[in-house]
Amino acid sequence: MDSAPSTPGKFKMEKGSYFHRSRWHTSLAKFTFWSFVFLGIMFIFFFRTPSIPSPSSLPAADPSRRSLRTYNNGGVAWEKRVRSSARIRSPNGVSVLVTGAAGFVGTHVSAALKRRGDGVLGLDNFNNYYDPSLKRARQALLERTGVFIVEGDINDVELVKKLFEIVTFTHVMHLAAQAGVRYAMENPGSYVHSNIAGFVNLLEVCKSINPQPAIVWASSSSVYGLNTKVPFSERDRTDQPASLYAATKKAGEEIAHTYNHIYGLSLTGLRFFTVYGPWGRPDMAYFFFTRDILKGKSIPIFEAANHGTVARDFTYIDDIVRGCLGALDTAEKSTGSGGKKTGPAQLRVFNLGNTSPVPVSELVNILERLLKVKAERNIMKLPRNGDVQFTHANISYAQTEFGYKPKTDLQSGLKKFVQWYINYYSDGKKADQ
């Protein structure tokens, strides 16, 4: 570098040969010196004993980037609990790994499977997308029924492999996901981490298991996006997502098709339509409307352009559970062996809704009557954050395949939810998270 011209132009050799040999030796000495300095710094950086930071100096945990090594899994006692929870207790029972078991739908599905004698093992990372204490309460509820939830992440491939080594699962009910439409604008990475990477990791493990399990997994009605044809049918286009959440769920459906085609995995996707009920999610409108009405706070009521009505196909949790079990019971065996497809495998997608869209304003009317409190309504324009004006499910395919037929209207379902809500939060639990 010493002999390089400081400005662009033609390089001229103007000094004698001895001078240049001296300059060359000087340059070599400098290069050697700085090389040793650099290597010394690298040695110190990589091989020094790291200091242990105090907990207060560490950044807050991002639920989408939770360490896969922070869970205390393993050991004889732990494996015994895993086997006991997954043990089949009925003559025609199946053994099911339920991911997202501490979630709203996961808890209800796990309990229903256990009640009928199936073997059930849960898996959940208990992230803090919403109040983790509610998830812990669901966990306690399931433990009383004999369902053990392994605390771990679906992105932890070694953990998922370990569970399949301990238990020969016949089915996987994959309900773990990053939910919520609006939160995607705050933390988009969490959706890719859970809904895409997590799903792929799970399928990667399942494709190599022998025998391969049949997989039922949660898609979403959000995949219909900007579709204006109603009611929504499984045959309708789903290539216009209105949110990142919807896009990741649509990506999941395409990924499922790929693993079915290449590896022979039996895959059934379920497009849930606005699920509600006891033990629900605090980020859902019916839940935080109830909370804010009781607290005397105003609630946002969205309306579409030109004062258009915003409506949802609200579906009660018990109806969704029956749909999940129907899909699982009619799922055919996977056809792969040792990671290779040996024949055509089943691939299905079903709508699970109520087929009776209700305006959000009517939802509030019902809550007012049940709570005996007048709501303070704040009418607002529907924001461009991923929300759509309406949802409406065509459920004829699910009716044909496994007799799916919702039984609970919104009035009856909200009555059960309100009873649960008041009982749950009357014990001093916080309802403002």
Side-chain angles (χ1 to χ4, degrees):
M1 293 296 294
D2 288 343
S3 60
S6 59
T7 58
K10 189 174 182 179
F11 180 69
K12 297 181 179 179
M13 186 74 74
E14 296 178 348
K15 304 292 183 179
S17 61
Y18 175 79
F19 176 82
H20 285 290
R21 283 197 299 272
S22 299
R23 291 289 298 272
W24 185 85
H25 286 301
T26 302
S27 299
L28 180 62
K30 287 183 178 180
F31 175 77
T32 303
F33 172 76
W34 287 111
S35 295
F36 276 111
V37 171
F38 175 76
L39 290 173
I41 293 172
M42 296 301 291
F43 180 87
I44 293 172
F45 181 79
F46 284 108
F47 296 102
R48 68 184 176 86
T49 302
S51 61
I52 301 175
S54 66
S56 60
S57 68
L58 295 173
D62 180 348
S64 73
R65 301 295 182 193
R66 290 190 60 169
S67 170
L68 302 182
R69 302 180 183 274
T70 58
Y71 307 108
N72 296 319
N73 296 318
V76 176
W78 178 80
E79 290 190 14
K80 184 177 180 180
R81 293 190 71 186
V82 168
R83 289 192 179 93
S84 176
S85 183
R87 186 176 299 122
I88 299 171
R89 303 178 188 278
S90 66
N92 299 315
V94 293
S95 184
V96 188
L97 173 65
V98 180
T99 69
F104 173 31
V105 178
T107 296
H108 284 272
V109 169
S110 296
L113 289 169
K114 197 68 175 181
R115 280 195 300 269
R116 70 181 199 174
D118 292 329
V120 183
L121 180 70
L123 176 63
D124 203 293
N125 68 1
F126 293 90
N127 69 27
N128 59 1
Y129 166 61
Y130 59 81
D131 183 11
S133 69
L134 179 57
K135 300 178 183 180
R136 293 298 181 183
R138 296 182 188 133
Q139 178 187 29
L141 181 72
L142 286 179
E143 288 198 349
R144 291 196 292 272
T145 69
V147 176
F148 175 48
I149 300 180
V150 174
E151 187 167 352
D153 198 298
I154 54 175
N155 282 286
D156 188 343
V157 176
E158 294 306 314
L159 172 60
V160 178
K161 285 182 178 178
K162 180 67 174 178
L163 296 179
F164 275 95
E165 290 172 3
I166 298 172
V167 179
T168 304
F169 294 106
T170 59
H171 295 75
V172 174
M173 180 66 71
H174 177 48
L175 302 173
Q178 176 59 62
V181 170
R182 300 169 197 169
Y183 183 61
M185 299 182 72
E186 300 176 31
N187 190 1
S190 65
Y191 290 80
V192 177
H193 178 78
S194 296
N195 302 355
I196 297 178
F199 190 29
V200 170
N201 283 329
L202 180 65
L203 295 177
E204 278 291 304
V205 174
C206 290
K207 79 177 188 184
S208 302
I209 300 299
N210 196 11
Q212 295 173 333
I215 302 167
V216 178
W217 68 284
S219 183
S220 170
S221 62
S222 295
V223 300
Y224 291 108
L226 302 179
N227 184 27
T228 57
K229 174 183 170 294
V230 291
F232 299 154
S233 167
E234 294 89 347
R235 295 182 296 275
D236 292 341
R237 64 184 298 181
T238 54
D239 59 351
Q240 295 179 300
S243 66
L244 178 62
Y245 169 68
T248 60
K249 284 299 187 178
K250 175 59 179 177
E253 293 187 358
E254 301 303 323
I255 290 167
H257 180 276
T258 302
Y259 276 79
N260 169 268
H261 173 69
I262 298 176
Y263 302 110
L265 285 173
S266 170
L267 283 148
T268 300
L270 304 176
R271 294 173 178 171
F272 297 151
F273 281 72
T274 316
V275 190
Y276 73 100
W279 296 98
R281 283 184 10 225
D283 64 318
M284 297 293 285
Y286 72 92
F287 199 113
F288 64 77
F289 280 0
T290 299
R291 178 195 65 203
D292 290 346
I293 290 172
L294 289 173
K295 289 178 176 290
K297 296 181 178 180
S298 65
I299 59 174
I301 307 295
F302 295 132
E303 64 177 18
N306 300 317
H307 305 288
T309 299
V310 174
R312 292 290 180 268
D313 198 349
F314 296 101
T315 313
Y316 189 63
I317 182 62
D318 289 356
D319 293 323
I320 289 292
V321 169
R322 281 190 287 270
C324 290
L325 269 58
L328 184 139
D329 290 341
T330 56
E332 297 175 0
K333 293 182 179 180
S334 295
T335 62
S337 178
K340 295 182 179 180
K341 183 178 180 179
T342 60
Q346 186 181 54
L347 179 66
R348 306 178 296 173
V349 175
F350 295 106
N351 288 337
L352 293 186
N354 194 55
T355 74
S356 300
V358 176
V360 174
S361 57
E362 178 58 22
L363 166 75
V364 177
N365 292 339
I366 297 173
L367 287 175
E368 287 177 327
R369 292 195 294 269
L370 293 171
L371 297 171
K372 296 179 174 58
V373 178
K374 189 70 175 176
E376 182 181 338
R377 308 184 188 209
N378 181 17
I379 308 300
M380 305 171 64
K381 290 183 178 180
L382 186 67
R384 297 179 64 86
N385 59 4
D387 280 316
V388 294
Q389 183 176 350
F390 53 83
T391 60
H392 185 185
N394 178 336
I395 61 170
S396 57
Y397 185 31
Q399 286 177 328
T400 301
E401 289 295 303
F402 48 83
Y404 174 71
K405 186 177 181 181
K407 300 178 179 179
T408 310
D409 60 69
L410 187 59
Q411 171 79 31
S412 302
L414 283 178
K415 182 178 181 179
K416 294 177 182 179
F417 165 74
V418 167
Q419 289 172 342
W420 168 83
Y421 183 95
I422 292 173
N423 289 335
Y424 182 78
Y425 288 108
S426 65
D427 294 333
K429 299 182 180 69
K430 292 184 178 180
D432 55 356
Q433 299 185 30

